[in-house]
Amino acid sequence: MTSSPAIPWLRPPERSPVPPDPRDVRIVDLLQTDPAGAHVAVIGIPFDTAVIGRRGAREAPAAIRRALYRMTAFDLESGIDLAEGLRLVDLGDVAVVHTDIHETHRRVMAVLREATRQGLRSLVLGGDHSLSYAILRGVIEGLGKPLGVIQFDAHHDLREPLEGEITSGTPFRRLLEEGLIEGRHLVQIGLLGGRNSRAYYEVARRYGVRMIPAARIHREDPEALTMQVLEVVAAETDGFFISFDMDVFEAACAPGVSAPSPGGLLPAPTLALVRRLAAHPACWGMDLMETAPPLDPDGRTVALAAAVAWAFLIGRGMVGMKSESGIDAGPPAVP
């Protein structure tokens, strides 16, 4: 049997949705198949059953991956080239149960607990913000040690689970009430007036949560703010985790979220802050929540979410690396 003649002008499908260029090393090119020895693990959670507002975040992991993986591995601002040493693995998506929040959370906890026990720092792509309870509990159980939390969010997410209902507004209340984190080790960045009630503000005060409104971020130097935040989350803990809700951004920059936030944070200083925080050796990972592609017709929110994920990876690349600009980001991370 003879083979069919080759059809001209075809090439094997590319992993990246942009034309191939051997001089362009992209994030997708850093992916390894074996988690052994990896520094960062990408984990998706396509689940939005618990969201209070508009749904669509279940489609975010796939959309953010597509945008992130086409970004280059080089940061010209810091001189960091992730191709020189960051080992990245994509573990895929958690097999969620869309009709069962408790079972989905149980599975997320198990995945993050095991990934942490293997020494992996996690970049988790959600999904609704209820998942941060399960993510953080899994990391804490995997470490077996206290953990600080940096929460980027327009909202406190300290709602009481009324009639036992778990929502995207309850994760940090549950973590505090169960003693999984201490209020004095929780920093909430980007809170907005008109988006939070007096009652939950008082809950945050009662637990000793450090609250940093969006208005302060607009005028604060990212470097100084980083040092202040690290003093809270890294003191008397064995590391910290970043929980990032995309509704923290100004609504014009991130309309494709459950609850758009006029007056929210602007991208440039926020990306700089994420990069600086992720560059600390004690950072155990970040979750990136509430991007809703169906509510994002022009793709700007997905692109910004990918930029946040990329800033986190650049920060992790700075750990133990010396950039061309001469910046020494500190001792090597524990892989």
Side-chain angles (χ1 to χ4, degrees):
M1 181 176 180
T2 59
S3 60
S4 300
I7 301 175
W9 303 114
L10 290 178
R11 60 166 60 97
E14 295 290 332
R15 294 182 295 171
S16 174
V18 296
D21 183 340
R23 297 174 182 82
D24 268 347
V25 179
R26 300 180 182 272
I27 299 298
V28 70
D29 298 315
L30 307 183
L31 291 174
Q32 60 184 51
T33 56
D34 187 356
H39 297 121
V40 177
V42 178
I43 301 169
I45 314 177
F47 181 86
D48 63 4
T49 302
V51 74
I52 294 177
R54 307 182 300 169
R55 292 185 177 176
R58 70 178 61 186
E59 298 184 26
I64 296 172
R65 278 185 175 101
R66 285 193 296 270
L68 172 63
Y69 289 167
R70 70 189 298 172
M71 297 181 75
T72 63
F74 177 65
D75 175 28
L76 60 86
E77 182 179 349
S78 65
I80 290 294
D81 188 348
L82 297 180
E84 294 180 347
L86 185 76
R87 297 189 293 276
L88 185 65
V89 64
D90 192 328
L91 298 180
D93 290 345
V94 177
V96 304
V97 182
H98 291 292
T99 55
D100 192 333
I101 296 172
H102 290 281
E103 176 59 20
T104 295
H105 281 204
R106 188 185 69 81
R107 296 180 182 191
V108 171
M109 282 182 238
V111 169
L112 269 296
R113 181 169 56 243
E114 182 56 32
T116 304
R117 284 176 178 169
Q118 293 183 22
L120 294 169
R121 313 291 170 119
S122 300
L123 172 58
V124 185
L125 309 177
D128 71 55
H129 216 172
S130 78
L131 297 164
S132 291
Y133 166 84
I135 293 165
L136 286 162
R137 180 170 172 177
V139 174
I140 291 166
E141 291 179 354
L143 285 174
K145 299 175 181 178
L147 194 68
V149 178
I150 303 168
Q151 175 192 352
F152 285 83
D153 205 326
H155 310 89
H156 288 296
D157 285 357
L158 292 172
R159 293 179 181 273
E160 185 178 0
L162 298 175
E163 299 182 2
E165 183 181 21
I166 295 171
T167 72
S168 57
T170 63
F172 297 97
R173 178 71 167 263
R174 297 176 68 203
L175 289 163
L176 289 168
E177 288 185 343
E178 294 178 22
L180 292 167
I181 64 173
E182 294 188 35
R184 63 196 179 100
H185 295 148
L186 171 60
V187 180
Q188 297 182 327
I189 298 175
L191 299 167
L192 279 172
R195 293 292 186 272
N196 297 279
S197 70
R198 175 71 176 267
Y200 297 122
Y201 167 77
E202 295 296 346
V203 170
R205 288 187 62 191
R206 186 170 73 247
Y207 277 101
V209 175
R210 179 71 61 88
M211 295 173 276
I212 305 178
R216 179 179 163 192
I217 306 299
H218 293 316
R219 61 177 186 268
E220 192 92 11
D221 173 62
E223 186 66 39
L225 185 61
T226 299
M227 299 306 297
Q228 295 169 31
V229 171
L230 289 174
E231 286 179 3
V232 176
V233 298
E236 302 176 18
T237 70
D238 286 273
F240 64 89
F241 199 92
I242 303 169
S243 183
F244 199 105
D245 188 325
M246 285 294 294
D247 73 17
V248 78
F249 282 115
E250 158 62 42
C253 303
V257 297
S258 176
S261 304
L265 303 188
L266 298 177
T270 306
L271 295 173
L273 185 54
V274 168
R275 188 180 66 185
R276 285 171 168 83
L277 293 169
H280 194 284
C283 179
W284 274 95
M286 180 179 76
D287 67 41
L288 186 55
M289 318 307 280
E290 299 287 354
T291 301
L295 307 175
D296 188 41
D298 66 358
R300 77 179 73 175
T301 311
V302 170
L304 183 53
V308 174
W310 180 84
F312 171 80
L313 293 178
I314 292 296
R316 294 313 302 161
M318 293 176 71
V319 179
M321 283 179 157
K322 196 161 187 176
S323 70
E324 293 176 4
S325 60
I327 299 173
D328 190 349
V334 178

